[in-house]
Amino acid sequence: MMRLLHRWPGLIATGLLIVVALSGAALSIFPALNAWNSPSAGKMSVATLAGNIAAAHPGITEIDRAASGQITASYMDGGQYVSSLVDPANGSVIAASRPSGLVLWLTELHRSLFLGDWGSYIAAVTALFLLALCMTGLSLMARRAGGWRYLFARPRGMGDGYLHTSIARMAVFGLAFSSLTALWMTLSTFGFIPDDQAFPAFPASVSGKTGIAPAAITSLENMQVSELQSLVFPRAGDPTDVFTLTTDDGMGYIDQGTGDMLSWADNGPWQQASSTILMLHTGQGASIVGLVLGLSALGVPLMGVSGIRLWLSGRRRQRGGNGAHEADTIVLVGSEGGSTWGFATTLQTTLQAAGLKVHVAAMNGFAPQKWSKAERLILLAATYGDGDAPDTAKSFLERLDGYTDAAKIPVALVGFGDRSFPHFCGYAARVHKALKIRNWPVFVAPHSVDRQSQQDFARWGRALAASLGMDFELNHQPDPPATSRLSVISRRDFGREVQAPASLIRLALPRRGLWQRLNGTGFAKFEAGDLIGILPAGSDLPRFYSLASSSGDGFVEICVRRQNGGLCSGQLTALEPGETVQAFVRPNPAFRPGRGRAPVLLIGAGSGVAPLAGFVRTNRRRRPMHVYVGARHPKSDAFYAEEFASWQRDGKLASLTEAYSRGAEPAYVQDALLRDGPKIAALIKEGGQILVCGGRDMARGVAAALADILRPHGLTLASLKKDGRYGEDIF
């Protein structure tokens, strides 16, 4: 429902929103320019200001102060009525006072779209739509991030989705404020807000005297220019007329002979609120606020275009290969960000190649009565936020509940989720429960895919092939992102003495243009533990290496062990500073420390120490991190030895345990773990997390050692994996 409330106001009102936003952004500039170009009156009193202007222009009739600080004097000069911008210090003329045609045009466009009162109503409805978009957008961003406290965490993805979310986070509060103040001003204009502006009764009697100098009027002497709105002088030769003073607080009449305040009335709270809202919305008198709101408004066109593109791409993804009425296999997709549709495309292509007729649609399109030839139903259900239904599956459970036909085709369910969230595959679990309650037949056991794992999907594919009596493999390969050229900063060599050469290679980050930064394209931001894909010369097949740095470090760092006959590793370990490679980033969110302050146990061997070093490097909160490292010999391949020592002194690293298979006391990293069994068990019982990186043989040995350590305490690696507290990066 929230997604629908966000989508349709945006689609309906995009054009109007862009017009109103751009005109408002343009108007926000003028108050700042006026304030910048206007001479300041400082703490000058109104009496002094009036005296300076009266001395320069004896025929003065009125002094007005704009919210920007500009002083306008109206006076008679040679029998002509003149209005000029003046310097408050001496009353000298700065320029003729005339409204800007451009400002008037933009104001009319912004307020009423040149349609009079009807245009004002349309502009008000547009502001209401904008407020709805802001409120629903905030809710959706918080849900997508995993909770309100993660609202300003780095958004995921790239392209239009990244651009839309990134701009929304910066602009949403300014846009919400602009829409609220615009609605107030519209209600005030059409009389829906009480009008309690001060209009004191004209004095019944005056002194009949004339000629008091403005500088001698006490009430003006006690008032600063910053409080003034206008001062109207009495008509020349009319002893019954008075000075009319209007300020931010109210309005009053002053005797022109004695300087006494004859009557005064304060503005009511509604008028004061309306004046403040007008000032903040227009920037007149608050130019910095106006510029901030104007910058927020500039995000509307980008969000409008990216939002429409996201909607159109979602519509295109929902088109299946075969019609629902002719398909023998129905694939329904519940997706939020779009990645699950990619898995659906792989499944569809593979099954069609095997001779099946496949129809792909959104889970919201659940309609068995239309599937006259369907023999099986496959559900690919992602989870949105904290266990909620994704956009394309919002109505699935309701539709399922309304299906009462006894005939049910067999179903297979695959859940897509993120183990770092507390409700991993939470929506898929709800779907499984609903199907089980309704005794829906199952032809493949439910399966889960963690963080878009191609391996998890392939394992389920093998089970699917077996159930169908077919021989195929689900080899999901996302479209490779465009590569960037990275130049070598430095290379540190290790292991030459033991005939196991390896290098720590540091690469410079490529420059990203403004548009690439806005839409998240180009060389993506990354965290330690993510993967960098490098295309070696002479090959289109990327090789992946774990990153030992994050974007915030300002460089890319990897550890490469040269393999016998290895094309990519051979090229990398021979690179010299200044030479370049083609590379791209692939996120690996399943392998990084979770949120919170719980201890982290980092276990690695050989070049697998690289991402562990990256985790420690970025441990600015000094959470307890304990590193176990395995290598051949301390003199040949002790990667990051100096850095680990420095980080331990800085408090980023709680402890470091090393095991060398060719040292004075040969040992493997799993031996070190078994020696520290009680310590490790205690860390895990405190809620600790384990991350393992290295070769497959090492990983098996580490897993066996950890299982032995945890078994007496009723813990298993399987339970830790389920809780997102055990991760591996194995090569």
Side-chain angles (χ1 to χ4, degrees):
M1 178 60 71
M2 191 66 68
R3 176 67 66 179
L4 292 176
L5 290 174
H6 187 74
R7 176 191 298 149
W8 290 112
L11 292 174
I12 292 170
T14 295
L16 286 173
L17 285 168
I18 291 175
V19 170
V20 172
L22 289 181
S23 57
L27 286 169
S28 71
I29 299 173
F30 293 98
L33 291 176
N34 291 338
W36 177 267
N37 293 323
S38 300
S40 173
K43 295 184 178 181
M44 180 185 296
S45 70
V46 175
T48 302
L49 173 70
N52 293 342
I53 295 176
H57 307 285
I60 186 71
T61 60
E62 184 174 347
I63 298 173
D64 295 283
R65 179 187 178 274
S68 62
Q70 285 185 326
I71 303 297
T72 301
S74 301
Y75 51 91
M76 299 299 296
D77 185 12
Q80 298 291 323
Y81 183 80
V82 180
S83 183
S84 303
L85 300 177
V86 299
D87 187 336
N90 52 31
S92 61
V93 174
I94 299 174
S97 176
R98 62 172 64 94
S100 165
L102 176 60
V103 172
L104 292 175
W105 186 86
L106 286 170
T107 301
E108 186 68 16
L109 173 64
H110 185 72
R111 290 180 178 175
S112 66
L113 307 170
F114 304 118
L115 297 175
D117 286 350
W118 279 107
S120 297
Y121 286 125
I122 294 172
V125 172
T126 303
L128 189 62
F129 274 30
L130 178 58
L131 181 61
L133 287 169
C134 291
M135 297 300 100
T136 54
L138 269 174
S139 176
L140 291 169
M141 284 191 294
R143 286 170 56 191
R144 185 171 180 81
W148 286 99
R149 58 176 159 168
Y150 304 119
L151 181 62
F152 292 99
R154 182 166 67 92
R156 304 170 184 173
M158 58 189 301
D160 289 320
Y162 181 92
L163 174 65
H164 195 82
T165 304
S166 298
I167 294 177
R169 292 192 312 162
M170 294 185 289
V172 63
F173 294 107
L175 293 175
F177 184 80
S178 292
S179 59
L180 282 170
T181 52
L183 289 169
W184 179 286
M185 291 162 59
T186 301
L187 293 173
S188 178
T189 299
F190 290 101
F192 294 101
I193 301 293
D195 184 5
D196 53 6
Q197 184 176 0
F199 288 104
F202 195 84
S205 62
V206 296
S207 68
K209 300 177 181 178
T210 62
I212 189 171
I217 299 175
T218 303
S219 56
L220 300 184
E221 184 63 34
N222 295 331
M223 179 183 297
Q224 292 188 3
V225 173
S226 59
E227 303 173 61
L228 177 69
Q229 288 187 6
S230 68
L231 178 64
V232 179
F233 285 68
R235 291 185 299 274
D238 184 357
T240 64
D241 203 1
V242 293
F243 286 96
T244 303
L245 174 66
T246 305
T247 73
D248 295 336
D249 296 326
M251 180 178 176
Y253 299 112
I254 301 173
D255 192 290
Q256 64 168 313
T258 63
D260 295 335
M261 182 68 72
L262 300 176
S263 62
W264 175 264
D266 288 318
N267 288 325
W270 291 103
Q271 176 61 30
Q272 292 178 1
S274 294
S275 297
T276 301
I277 287 172
L278 177 66
M279 175 186 69
L280 294 174
H281 184 85
T282 62
Q284 295 286 354
S287 57
I288 300 300
V289 175
L291 289 174
V292 170
L293 297 182
L295 286 172
S296 299
L298 289 177
V300 170
L302 291 173
M303 287 188 289
V305 172
S306 60
I308 290 175
R309 284 168 58 93
L310 285 170
W311 177 69
L312 290 174
S313 64
R315 298 282 295 178
R316 287 193 295 268
R317 283 195 299 266
Q318 294 182 33
R319 297 171 184 164
N322 293 93
H325 63 283
E326 62 179 351
D328 52 39
T329 303
I330 306 295
V331 177
L332 298 185
V333 183
S335 178
E336 185 67 31
S339 60
T340 311
W341 287 102
F343 287 92
T345 300
T346 298
L347 176 61
Q348 176 188 357
T349 303
T350 304
L351 293 180
Q352 286 178 331
L356 300 179
K357 295 181 179 180
V358 183
H359 176 73
V360 180
M363 289 179 67
N364 288 335
F366 178 78
Q369 65 275 14
K370 298 180 180 179
W371 307 334
S372 57
K373 297 182 180 180
E375 300 175 10
R376 63 195 64 86
L377 170 63
I378 300 174
L379 303 176
L380 307 183
T383 292
Y384 180 59
D386 197 20
D388 296 325
D391 183 35
T392 64
K394 295 290 188 184
S395 62
F396 174 78
L397 290 177
E398 181 181 351
R399 288 172 176 261
L400 181 67
D401 188 54
Y403 181 69
T404 57
D405 198 320
K408 299 180 177 71
I409 58 176
V411 66
L413 172 64
V414 184
F416 292 78
D418 185 335
R419 289 192 184 276
S420 67
F421 286 89
H423 297 285
F424 171 61
C425 287
Y427 179 67
R430 289 167 56 195
V431 171
H432 174 61
K433 182 178 179 181
L435 292 170
K436 190 173 181 180
I437 290 174
R438 291 162 180 78
N439 296 314
W440 210 284
V442 174
F443 74 99
V444 179
H447 191 85
S448 62
V449 174
D450 181 24
R451 291 171 250 204
Q452 304 177 35
S453 168
Q454 300 165 45
Q455 294 81 6
D456 287 349
F457 191 59
R459 279 193 290 271
W460 173 77
R462 288 190 283 273
L464 174 65
S467 72
L468 297 175
M470 297 179 176
D471 183 16
F472 59 76
E473 185 80 14
L474 291 181
N475 182 22
H476 177 62
Q477 295 292 334
D479 293 334
T483 61
S484 300
R485 187 174 295 277
L486 280 64
S487 61
V488 177
I489 298 174
S490 64
R491 192 191 81 213
R492 294 162 56 192
D493 295 329
F494 298 83
R496 311 286 176 174
E497 300 86 350
V498 292
Q499 290 73 52
S503 300
L504 285 179
I505 302 170
R506 184 169 291 187
L507 305 164
L509 288 175
R511 293 192 176 187
R512 301 171 73 202
L514 176 61
W515 179 247
Q516 290 177 320
R517 291 177 183 273
L518 286 174
N519 67 4
T521 56
F523 196 74
K525 290 185 176 182
F526 56 92
E527 301 289 339
D530 285 342
L531 304 175
I532 183 170
I534 295 179
L535 290 175
S539 174
D540 294 329
L541 181 65
R543 275 65 162 180
F544 291 93
Y545 298 88
S546 297
L547 285 164
S549 60
S550 66
S551 299
D553 296 319
F555 55 82
V556 172
E557 189 166 273
I558 56 175
C559 183
V560 180
R561 176 81 69 183
R562 192 170 73 194
Q563 306 296 324
N564 291 331
L567 175 64
C568 191
S569 64
Q571 292 178 8
L572 288 174
T573 54
L575 286 172
E576 297 294 338
E579 295 183 321
T580 62
V581 295
Q582 292 287 346
F584 62 91
V585 169
R586 175 171 290 176
N588 187 23
F591 188 73
R592 65 182 57 158
R595 295 163 174 160
R597 296 281 298 170
V600 183
L601 187 63
L602 304 172
I603 306 168
S607 59
V609 73
L612 313 185
F615 298 146
V616 179
R617 191 201 308 270
T618 57
N619 184 25
R620 297 176 181 87
R621 296 180 62 190
R622 269 65 174 177
R623 70 186 295 181
M625 287 191 171
H626 305 268
V627 173
Y628 284 79
V629 175
R632 286 178 172 83
H633 196 279
K635 292 184 179 180
S636 64
D637 52 2
F639 306 118
Y640 294 102
E642 295 178 2
E643 289 88 342
F644 279 137
S646 174
W647 294 331
Q648 201 162 7
R649 289 192 298 270
D650 292 343
K652 292 183 176 181
L653 177 59
S655 69
L656 173 66
T657 303
E658 300 166 310
Y660 295 100
S661 60
R662 300 182 187 179
E665 298 180 4
Y668 293 97
V669 67
Q670 53 263 43
D671 299 323
L673 293 172
L674 290 170
R675 282 198 304 268
D676 288 352
K679 170 187 171 182
I680 291 170
L683 291 174
I684 301 306
K685 290 171 71 175
E686 291 176 19
Q689 178 186 9
I690 303 174
L691 296 173
V692 181
C693 186
R696 295 187 181 279
D697 292 339
M698 182 278 299
R700 281 194 290 267
V702 166
L706 289 172
D708 290 342
I709 293 170
L710 298 175
R711 190 176 298 112
H713 302 277
L715 297 171
T716 65
L717 293 184
S719 65
L720 294 182
K721 285 182 181 179
K722 184 178 180 181
D723 294 338
R725 295 169 56 200
Y726 184 82
E728 295 178 329
D729 183 2
I730 307 303
F731 48 84

